[in-house]
């Protein structure tokens, strides 16, 4: 008859307690938030008594995960930017011209004079006209010889250039594999740069996400306007190559006239005294990518534009054996020793890198400037007042909706309605618990999703109760009726909720921003409401039934 | 004393006027489609690009003065609406200003927004810009495409699931009801020219989910009764099933509506359109699960005994004893 195994009961209660425990911090939102911020600050080194007191506001043994509030509730700035990946092709092709020129120069007797069509570079093509078309094959062969293997997972085995002849012109473009690898790199670099810039401002929980293939979504809560955000992203970080005078162990040392002292990026307590005037700057860098040195160790190769190449070539020729520093935003990334004269503007940085480190360094090297232009497709600014108004309105609406449904259920089903109401309260707790656990974002449509769940969550209970009523008519005794009610309503509950869940999943996958927030609460709401209806209400009814053993029940 | 929305043991005949109900639905669908094709939808910036600015001021809003200030900027089509809402404070005067996407510009320009700000500040000195949102035409085109795909995908997925769980006739009936609900909802947005933005798509998909929820519950009972009463006429079985589930149908609709109405009245103007779509959808969805889905199921007929292979071919009395 009506029986639920002890282990099941324990499990159900455990889930409820866990869910409610996870949801609890949200009831003390501001307090937990200040405590969390203070703990984070302590971890970052700001170990002041003030922060300690603030952190102690919320006991550390309690869960402290909070539901993130979306931009529409908290206020802030939102940008959707498209990275113009083709910009990079242009720069690459432009920088490739000196190589082609040098390679073909020695073959003048076979191919005649060469002329660069600098207009075509805008389309990502390097077009070179030769005066003796009969030497085309030879010229193509030479240029093809300049191609390098593509460094990427998918493009293994391919080379980076595609070279063909068109009449009297040699046409060089990036190969498809290289374009893909370049695009990927451009996006990663852009993301990294944007992240660094925004981190410097130090706002709480920015979202910086790649969207689709070539877009970046940036959301910063608490920022005054989207324009402000654009300004932050647009500020150029400074990358320089500077001669190293000496190493130092503290920032207080006197660097001397014309020199400056800068800290190392990743070695604590290491400082470098550098000459203030850079040899070259990041603006003259056209490319940096992970590669391998002649011994197969991870390294980073880089290329300067023509002007940078000349300066860098001259400097390296004169300073073989002495270190020079790569400086990003006032911190020394690394200080390798010049091994040989580096002509042609491209070089390689070796060190004790892992592949990952070399990849990161390549990203950082280009982090001086955004590798490609950004086009802003969407920008939104939501003031904190509007967000607060929405939260207040949402709160009141949720409470009223909640109370209305509770009263209505109790009036319709009496004691059983009250059981359903207890389950509904647990249900809301569980939704918030799960939202906090996943660190999901609550948006205004998300609140609507919760309110809708309040309305629909009782559905599963209603299905069961109506079924019990029907079974009572055929008079098999209350225990049997309850059991049959659950058994027979199950297929309807499952089918009805799976169909709604399918739409929630589709919304989540296809939607963005606020719509996604709605899909999350709707989907979680379905899960928790099925759980509460099938397990929690049932457990409550069974416990009541065991205690009372009524001969007759009214549903 | 218990609250009962529906008397116990009803045996109403839902199909005596089936033709009339289907006719009414057909007319409503035609009107909705007509309105959609003739006057279209009042798309928000999510779907057609442009900028919306929400302003707040303690001074009363003079729409004419706002319009004059902005007209001087030559920004093309501008709509200014004063927003009133019971949740506002007494001195909270809110206006929504929409500026069309500027010609020949793929991305959003901050110059447009800045010039509008300056112009409005000249009219009302304590004006606050509580939200400024711009969407470029490129994204808006994609958004509308994604939204349409989402709705079609949702309907397709559901069709497949019901076909899997029931029979194809059930799936067709359910999807007819779904399309009916979606079309009527889009229709009402077109007829009343309520702003149609991204959130409304979310509402549409929820309506899809809700309408199904209702239909599936009825169908589940139909399936059960078809097995239970093998000799009964399909029409009787449908009627019986609808009557048996009627109490639940009303209970759920009413609880959902209670919650939604609370949100409609108290939730603020930002999501009012969204909630309106849901309320409409719940009402239409409840109606359609009975008068559209079941009516179509009745027309299509159902292969009765799907639990066993048909082995009675050539024996017309094969299942008399069942």
């Amino acid at each position: 008859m009506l029986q639920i195994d002890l282990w099941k009961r324990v499990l159900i209660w455990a889930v409820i307690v866990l869910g409610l425990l996870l949801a609890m911090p949200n009831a003390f939102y501001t307090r937990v938030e200040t405590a969390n911020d203070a703990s984070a600050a302590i971890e970052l080194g700001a170990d002041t008594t003030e922060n300690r007191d603030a952190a102690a506001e919320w006991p550390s043994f309690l869960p402290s995960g909070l539901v993130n509030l979306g931009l529409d509730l908290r206020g802030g700035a939102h940008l959707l930017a498209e990275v113009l990946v083709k910009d990079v092709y242009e720069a690459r092709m432009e920088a490739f011209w000196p190589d082609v020129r040098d390679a073909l120069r020695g073959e003048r007797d076979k191919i005649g004079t060469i002329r660069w069509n600098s207009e075509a570079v805008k389309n990502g093509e390097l077009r070179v006209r030769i005066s003796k078309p009969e030497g085309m094959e030879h010229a193509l062969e030479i240029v093809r010889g300049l191609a390098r293997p593509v460094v990427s997972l998918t493009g293994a085995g391919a080379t980076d250039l595609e070279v063909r002849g068109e009449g009297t012109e040699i046409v060089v473009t990036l190969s498809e594999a290289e374009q893909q690898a370049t695009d990927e790199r451009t996006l990663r670099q852009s993301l990294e740069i944007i992240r660094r810039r925004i981190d410097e401002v130090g706002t709480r929980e920015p979202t910086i996400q790649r969207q689709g293939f070539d877009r970046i979504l940036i959301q910063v809560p608490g920022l005054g306007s989207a324009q402000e955000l654009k300004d932050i992203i647009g500020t150029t970080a400074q990358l320089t190559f500077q001669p190293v005078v000496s190493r130092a162990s503290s920032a207080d040392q006197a660097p001397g006239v014309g020199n400056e002292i800068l800290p190392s990026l990743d070695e604590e307590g290491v400082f470098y005294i550098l000459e203030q005037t850079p040899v070259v700057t990041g603006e003259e860098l056209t490319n940096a990518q992970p590669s391998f040195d002649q011994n197969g160790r991870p390294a980073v190769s880089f290329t300067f534009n023509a002007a940078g190449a000349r300066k860098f070539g001259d400097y390296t020729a004169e300073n073989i054996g002495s270190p020079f520093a790569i400086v990003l935003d006032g911190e020394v990334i690394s200080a390798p020793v010049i091994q040989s004269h580096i002509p042609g503007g491209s070089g390689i940085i070796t060190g004790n890198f892992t592949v990952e480190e070399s990849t990161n360094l390549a990203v950082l090297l280009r982090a001086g400037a955004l590798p490609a232009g950004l086009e802003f497709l969407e920008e939104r600014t939501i003031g904190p007042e509007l967000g607060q108004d929405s939260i207040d309105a949402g709160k009141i609406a949720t409470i009223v909706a909640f109370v209305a449904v509770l009263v209505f259920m109790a009036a319709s089903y009496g004691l059983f309605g009250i059981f359903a109401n207890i389950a509904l309260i647990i249900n809301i707790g569980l939704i918030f618990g799960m939202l906090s656990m996943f660190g999901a974002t609550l948006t205004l449509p998300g609140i609507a999703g919760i309110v809708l769940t309040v309305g629909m969550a009782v559905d599963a209970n209603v299905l069961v109760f109506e079924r019990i009523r029907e079974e009572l008519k055929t008079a098999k005794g209350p225990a049997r009726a309850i059991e049959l009610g659950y058994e027979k309503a199950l297929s309807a509950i499952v089918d009805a909720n799976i169909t709604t869940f399918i739409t929630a999943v589709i919304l989540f996958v296809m939607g963005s921003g606020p719509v996604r927030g709605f899909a999350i609460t709707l989907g979680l709401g379905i899960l928790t409401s099925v759980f509460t209806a099938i397990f929690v209400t049932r457990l409550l009814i069974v416990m009541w039934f065991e205690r009372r053993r009524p001969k007759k029940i009214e549903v | 004393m218990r609250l009962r929305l529906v008397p116990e043991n009803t045996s109403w005949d839902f199909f005596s006027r089936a033709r009339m109900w289907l006719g009414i639905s057909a007319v409503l669908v035609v009107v909705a489609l007509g309105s959609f094709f003739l006057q279209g939808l009042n798309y928000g910036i999510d779907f057609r690009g442009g900028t919306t600015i929400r302003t707040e001021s303690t001074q009363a809003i003079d729409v004419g003065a706002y319009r004059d200030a902005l007209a001087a900027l030559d920004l093309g089509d501008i709509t200014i609406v004063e927003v009133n809402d019971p949740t506002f404070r007494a001195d909270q005067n809110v206006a929504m200003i929409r500026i069309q996407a500027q010609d020949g510009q793929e991305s959003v320009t901050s110059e447009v927004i800045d010039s509008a700000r300056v112009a409005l500040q000249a009219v009302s000195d304590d004006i606050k810009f509580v939200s400024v949102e711009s969407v470029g035409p490129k994204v808006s085109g994609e958004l509308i495409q994604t939204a349409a795909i989402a709705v079609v995908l949702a309907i397709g997925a559901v069709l497949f699931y019901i076909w899997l769980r029931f029979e194809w006739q059930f799936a067709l009936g359910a999807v007819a009801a779904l399309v009916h609900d979606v079309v009527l909802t889009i229709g009402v947005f077109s007829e009343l020219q309520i702003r149609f933005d991204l959130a409304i798509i979310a509402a549409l998909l929820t309506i899809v989910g809700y309408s199904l929820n209702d239909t599936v519950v009825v169908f589940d009972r139909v399936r059960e009764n078809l097995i239970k009463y093998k000799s009964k006429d399909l029409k009787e079985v449908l009627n019986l099933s609808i009557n048996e589930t009627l109490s639940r149908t009303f209970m759920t609709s009413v609880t959902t509506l209670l919650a939604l109405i609370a949100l409609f009245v108290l939730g603020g103007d930002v999501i009012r359109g969204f909630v309106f779509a849901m309320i409409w959808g719940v009402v239409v969805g409840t109606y359609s699960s009975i008068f559209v889905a079941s009516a179509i199921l009745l027309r299509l007929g159902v292969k009765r005994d799907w639990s066993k292979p048909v082995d009675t071919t050539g024996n017309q009395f094969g299942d008399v004893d069942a």
Side-chain angles (χ1 to χ4, degrees), chain B residues 210-257:
Chain B
Y210 184 86
S211 160
L212 265 172
N213 201 1
D214 246 21
T215 310
V216 166
V217 169
V218 175
F219 280 4
D220 181 76
R221 188 57 70 96
V222 172
R223 178 170 58 182
E224 189 185 321
N225 283 340
L226 279 174
I227 298 170
K228 203 155 140 197
Y229 309 103
K230 288 198 169 132
S231 53
K232 258 195 188 156
D233 193 31
L234 178 61
K235 190 170 161 184
E236 276 176 63
V237 173
L238 283 174
N239 245 329
L240 178 72
S241 308
I242 297 174
N243 274 302
E244 281 178 353
T245 50
L246 200 61
S247 168
R248 172 266 159 196
T249 305
F250 271 87
M251 276 300 296
T252 301
S253 296
V254 168
T255 51
T256 310
L257 282 176

Side-chain angles (χ1 to χ4, degrees), chain A residues 363-446:
Chain A
V363 168
L364 282 177
L365 269 181
R366 282 297 280 120
L370 285 164
L374 293 179
E375 187 169 49
F376 295 103
L377 304 177
E378 217 182 283
E379 55 174 274
R380 298 173 198 262
T381 310
I382 288 123
E385 314 93 334
L386 182 60
Q388 193 55 48
D389 287 353
S390 293
I391 292 180
D392 295 344
K395 254 187 203 161
I396 295 171
T398 311
I399 291 169
V400 170
F402 204 57
V403 171
V405 171
L406 292 184
V407 170
F408 187 73
M409 281 300 281
S412 298
Y413 296 111
L415 185 63
F416 277 58
I418 290 173
F419 290 146
N421 287 342
I422 296 172
L424 185 58
I425 294 168
I426 292 175
N427 191 3
I428 300 291
L430 289 182
I431 293 178
F432 273 96
M434 283 172 82
L435 284 174
S436 314
M437 191 170 74
F438 296 133
T441 303
L442 186 68
T443 59
L444 189 52

